[in-house]
């Protein structure tokens, strides 16, 4: 059976993802910055959290680790390069490692730039991607601990995934990203159309993620940058936008 993937809003604009395998009855949570809504959602659904998967060390992604561990005994899987910043980690993973939820297998992709040891989880057979703060709908993460060259390479790598791949972003940034994208590529009809759609969705209070790799190829100015230099210019412009 396919994975059940539940969006849990947290803070002002975070999304925590609760992922359940109906066949094994295993459940994991991706980047729980806040434990309370995660534990409440799992209890409501009758699911027991069996693992916590972190993409990077930022507190809005790891702040709920300890409380969920205390409540469920779930181990924390985290990027090896950020072990010192994620003291709750039980298993450290790096490029090419695999993590499982029942029979569903995710491969670890190292995607540094937002943070130095950032990773992404890719379920190839399920066409699902959990990129943390590397890839957003029509955007990407800020370069807090890495370079434009790194992030450009990350996005080009992710762009090669099948277009139907569902991208479970960690933040609701799409409207501001779409407004900038329209400025970056004013002649892109796909961006103009998506901006109008996103505006309507946000006016109704609807979430705009997950997105897909195909949508991002067509409308994400950072993924569409033709070089690291163009990416750097766009990232700097968005930071000041």
């Amino acid at each position: 059976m396919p994975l059940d993937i539940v969006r849990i809003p947290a803070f002002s604009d975070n999304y925590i993802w609760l992922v359940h395998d109906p066949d094994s009855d295993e459940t994991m949570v991706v980047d729980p910055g806040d434990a309370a809504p995660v534990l409440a959602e799992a209890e409501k659904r009758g699911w027991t959290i069996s693992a916590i998967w972190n993409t990077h060390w930022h507190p809005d992604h790891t702040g709920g680790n300890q409380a969920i561990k205390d409540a469920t005994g779930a181990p924390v899987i985290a990027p090896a390069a950020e072990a010192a910043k994620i003291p709750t980690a039980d298993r450290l993973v790096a490029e090419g490692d695999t993590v499982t939820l029942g029979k569903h297998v995710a491969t670890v992709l190292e995607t540094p730039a937002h943070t130095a040891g950032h990773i992404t989880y890719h379920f190839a057979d399920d066409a699902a991607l959990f990129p943390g703060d590397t890839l957003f709908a029509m955007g990407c993460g800020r370069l807090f601990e890495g370079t434009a060259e790194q992030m450009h390479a990350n996005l080009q790598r992710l762009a090669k995934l099948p277009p139907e791949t569902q991208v479970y972003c960690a933040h609701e940034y799409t409207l501001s990203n779409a407004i900038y994208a329209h400025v970056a590529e004013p002649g892109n009809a796909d961006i103009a159309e998506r901006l109008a759609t996103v505006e309507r969705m946000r006016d109704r209070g609807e979430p705009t993620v997950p997105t897909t790799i195909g949508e991002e190829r067509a409308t994400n100015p950072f993924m569409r940058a033709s070089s690291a230099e163009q990416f750097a210019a766009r990232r700097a412009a968005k930071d000041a936008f």
Side-chain angles (χ1 to χ4, degrees):
M1 294 178 65
L3 295 170
D4 292 329
I5 303 176
V6 178
R7 180 193 310 102
I8 302 175
F11 309 121
S12 62
D13 53 30
N14 278 65
Y15 288 134
I16 301 167
W17 299 100
L18 192 63
V19 186
H20 179 73
D21 172 32
D23 291 325
S24 66
D25 205 32
E26 293 182 13
T27 304
M28 65 87 168
V29 58
V30 182
D31 286 347
D34 187 4
V38 175
L39 292 170
E41 186 67 31
E43 182 178 10
K44 182 180 78 173
R45 294 174 178 272
W47 297 347
T48 299
I49 297 172
S50 51
I52 299 163
W53 296 13
N54 291 154
T55 62
H56 65 294
W57 68 267
H58 284 165
D60 64 321
H61 293 250
T62 60
N65 283 3
Q66 189 63 59
I68 295 173
K69 283 182 72 169
D70 291 344
T72 67
V76 174
I77 297 167
E82 298 187 352
K85 294 184 176 181
I86 307 178
T88 51
D90 298 292
R91 179 187 169 196
L92 300 173
V93 294
E95 176 72 32
D97 288 341
T98 57
V99 191
T100 59
L101 185 67
K103 293 182 179 179
H104 299 265
V105 179
T107 300
V108 174
L109 312 177
E110 290 184 352
T111 51
H114 181 68
T115 64
H118 198 297
I119 60 174
T120 290
Y121 298 98
H122 178 220
F123 286 92
D125 291 345
D126 297 279
L129 189 77
F130 293 90
D133 284 358
T134 292
L135 175 62
F136 298 130
M138 306 185 80
C140 71
R142 288 176 179 259
L143 308 179
F144 289 130
E145 297 177 4
T147 67
E149 289 77 15
Q150 286 177 313
M151 187 64 91
H152 178 67
N154 293 339
L155 298 181
Q156 292 305 298
R157 182 184 189 185
L158 297 181
K160 294 176 182 176
L161 297 177
E164 67 273 15
T165 302
Q166 295 282 308
V167 181
Y168 295 90
C169 310
H171 289 276
E172 182 58 71
Y173 290 161
T174 315
L175 180 56
S176 62
N177 288 341
I179 293 170
Y180 169 73
H182 190 48
V183 171
E185 295 190 27
N188 186 322
D190 291 329
I191 288 177
E193 181 179 353
R194 193 173 181 190
L195 170 58
T197 298
V198 168
E199 286 176 331
R200 290 193 296 270
M201 293 177 73
R202 296 309 292 155
D203 284 345
R204 296 192 295 263
E206 297 173 0
T208 62
V209 296
T211 178
T212 67
I213 290 295
E215 287 182 292
E216 297 315 302
R217 288 180 190 171
T219 63
N220 187 321
F222 301 102
M223 183 174 277
R224 292 170 56 79
S226 60
S227 65
E229 291 73 23
Q230 185 180 52
F231 170 86
R234 289 181 172 185
R235 184 65 262 178
K238 178 62 166 64
D239 289 346
F241 190 64

